[in-house]
Amino acid sequence: MRWAGQTVDADDGALPGLERAGLVRSVRTPEFEGVTFHEVLCKSALNRTPEASRLPFRYTVNTFRGCTHACRYCFARPTHEYLDLDGGHDFDSQLVVKTNVAAVLRRELARRSWTREHVALGTNTDPYQRAEGRYRLMPGVIRAFAESGTPFSILTKGTLLRRDLPLLSLAAGQVDVSVAVSLPIGDPELAAHIEPGTPSPKARLDLVKAVVDAGLSCHVMVAPVLPFLTDSRQHLDTLFGLAAAGASGVTVIPLHLRGSTRGWFLSWLAQEHPALMRRYRRLYGRGAYVAPEYSQWLDERVAPLLERHRLGVRASARREERGALRADERVPEPEAALTLF
């Protein structure tokens, strides 16, 4: 759903074309310099995934649109274009906040038709990005799942998840709760350039340990692996060795460049690593996904390292994730929770 064709008479910093009646307010605060929060009332919280995605879950919840993690490679960037915003700087700085998401979710989970299927969080934008510290949406979401008997999973780069570990532990006594931490880059200097708004690699490794200490298992997603930047044997071996201190397993997925993400990432690459541009054009000459030969090479590199560190990686999980990304490319419609009115 686009918001084109709707007008406001005064420029109050709201999203382009967003009718005033659909927006609670737009907010800027000194704590988030350069970021505008567009607080909205969503009509739906549960999003159904496309049938073709072959994911191990059919429903997701996204508390935000856009993400201040500002990861150059983020595959969700094109979704901001449904708001008539760009997938580059706007994605990083124009955040849609679904302020009533927990209440709406609670109503949806209470429906007699709801069959308590697994729901995934963090599949589009991170529920524990910095803005969660301001809006505190996740405690209500977690309680809604636990009280309705709905199993759920969380994927995050955000160390703010620590705040909710007691609540997650309580929820795990009622439903299945899965936690995964995204850690694609072990080099802190490189991470600061490519993921400038994220906690450091060390902070995320400490989060893995905190999750385990709270009595929950924690998977690590080494995704995406960036060709010729983070795919060396030394980098992967060091990263897996650090993750092995707490992670229940690791999943490895190579970078894909869909839609506006491609231009946003390659513009950074051309500026910071121009010598790699020709190699990237060869690898991604067929489209958004890396050449099959590279995927096979990466699998062969990763397998012995994971075995060495006793970290299991489910090939089926890799296939499911890749299938999800392909489906995301094929289905350009926005999530159901984007319906605001």
Side-chain angles (χ1 to χ4, degrees):
M1 168 179 171
R2 288 184 178 271
W3 295 339
Q6 301 173 355
T7 60
V8 287
D9 296 327
D11 180 7
D12 61 356
L15 293 173
L18 179 59
E19 187 177 35
R20 191 182 299 274
L23 182 71
V24 177
R25 61 176 181 165
S26 292
V27 182
R28 295 179 182 175
T29 69
E31 295 84 359
F32 290 85
E33 184 177 357
V35 176
T36 301
F37 297 106
H38 303 284
E39 299 174 356
V40 300
L41 297 177
C42 63
K43 294 177 76 173
S44 174
L46 286 168
N47 316 303
R48 185 159 183 161
T49 62
E51 294 292 339
S53 65
R54 302 194 303 277
L55 284 166
F57 49 83
R58 291 201 298 167
Y59 293 92
T60 66
V61 169
N62 292 296
T63 52
F64 301 100
R65 303 277 300 186
C67 186
T68 56
H69 285 340
C71 302
R72 283 280 176 174
Y73 53 72
C74 182
F75 73 87
R77 288 184 175 276
T79 63
H80 234 47
E81 294 165 9
Y82 293 107
L83 312 180
D84 291 328
L85 296 168
D86 68 59
H89 180 68
D90 285 348
F91 183 84
D92 303 336
S93 62
Q94 302 286 330
L95 266 63
V96 178
V97 186
K98 301 170 186 177
T99 55
N100 64 333
V101 65
V104 172
L105 178 63
R106 189 179 298 274
R107 289 199 302 268
E108 291 178 330
L109 298 179
R111 293 172 180 166
R112 294 181 64 182
S113 59
W114 177 244
T115 57
R116 297 180 177 82
E117 293 190 49
H118 179 98
V119 179
L121 297 99
T123 60
N124 190 27
T125 53
D126 198 319
Y128 283 106
Q129 58 180 288
R130 284 181 58 222
E132 169 61 16
R134 172 184 173 88
Y135 287 99
R136 297 186 63 86
L137 303 176
M138 283 299 292
V141 168
I142 293 168
R143 291 189 184 98
F145 284 134
E147 292 169 8
S148 67
T150 300
F152 65 97
S153 60
I154 297 172
L155 171 62
T156 185
K157 292 184 174 80
T159 52
L160 187 58
L161 180 139
R162 279 176 176 266
R163 181 201 67 195
D164 291 344
L165 281 176
L167 185 58
L168 286 167
S169 296
L170 288 173
Q174 299 173 263
V175 297
D176 288 336
V177 177
S178 301
V179 177
V181 172
S182 174
L183 183 59
I185 303 171
D187 179 352
E189 184 175 351
L190 182 60
H193 282 89
I194 300 179
E195 309 172 326
T198 63
S200 69
K202 182 182 183 304
R204 278 178 269 174
L205 286 165
D206 290 343
L207 174 63
V208 172
K209 184 177 184 301
V211 171
V212 174
D213 288 346
L216 302 166
S217 65
C218 189
H219 196 82
V220 168
M221 296 288 293
V222 179
V225 171
L226 308 176
F228 318 119
L229 289 171
T230 63
D231 60 357
S232 71
R233 181 176 286 103
Q234 179 181 358
H235 180 271
L236 292 170
D237 190 42
T238 300
L239 190 55
F240 295 163
L242 293 170
S248 59
V250 168
T251 297
V252 181
I253 303 171
L255 173 72
H256 85 287
L257 297 171
R258 181 180 66 85
S260 54
T261 301
R262 184 185 185 99
W264 191 246
F265 179 83
L266 291 180
S267 67
W268 172 86
L269 190 73
Q271 181 176 351
E272 299 295 331
H273 300 277
L276 295 179
M277 287 297 294
R278 180 176 297 179
R279 301 173 80 177
Y280 265 75
R281 290 194 186 100
R282 286 201 301 266
L283 276 183
Y284 293 92
R286 302 177 186 178
Y289 300 93
V290 72
E293 296 81 7
Y294 179 87
S295 291
Q296 181 178 351
W297 173 86
L298 182 62
D299 285 346
E300 291 172 354
R301 166 156 289 187
V302 163
L305 298 177
L306 292 174
E307 183 177 356
R308 173 183 173 185
H309 294 290
R310 299 181 181 179
L311 289 167
V313 57
R314 296 181 294 117
S316 60
R318 279 210 304 275
R319 287 195 297 270
E320 288 159 355
E321 180 70 17
R322 289 170 181 164
L325 299 178
R326 285 193 293 272
D328 184 51
E329 183 175 36
R330 287 195 301 269
V331 183
E333 59 189 12
E335 58 175 315
L338 190 56
T339 304
L340 305 178
F341 310 112

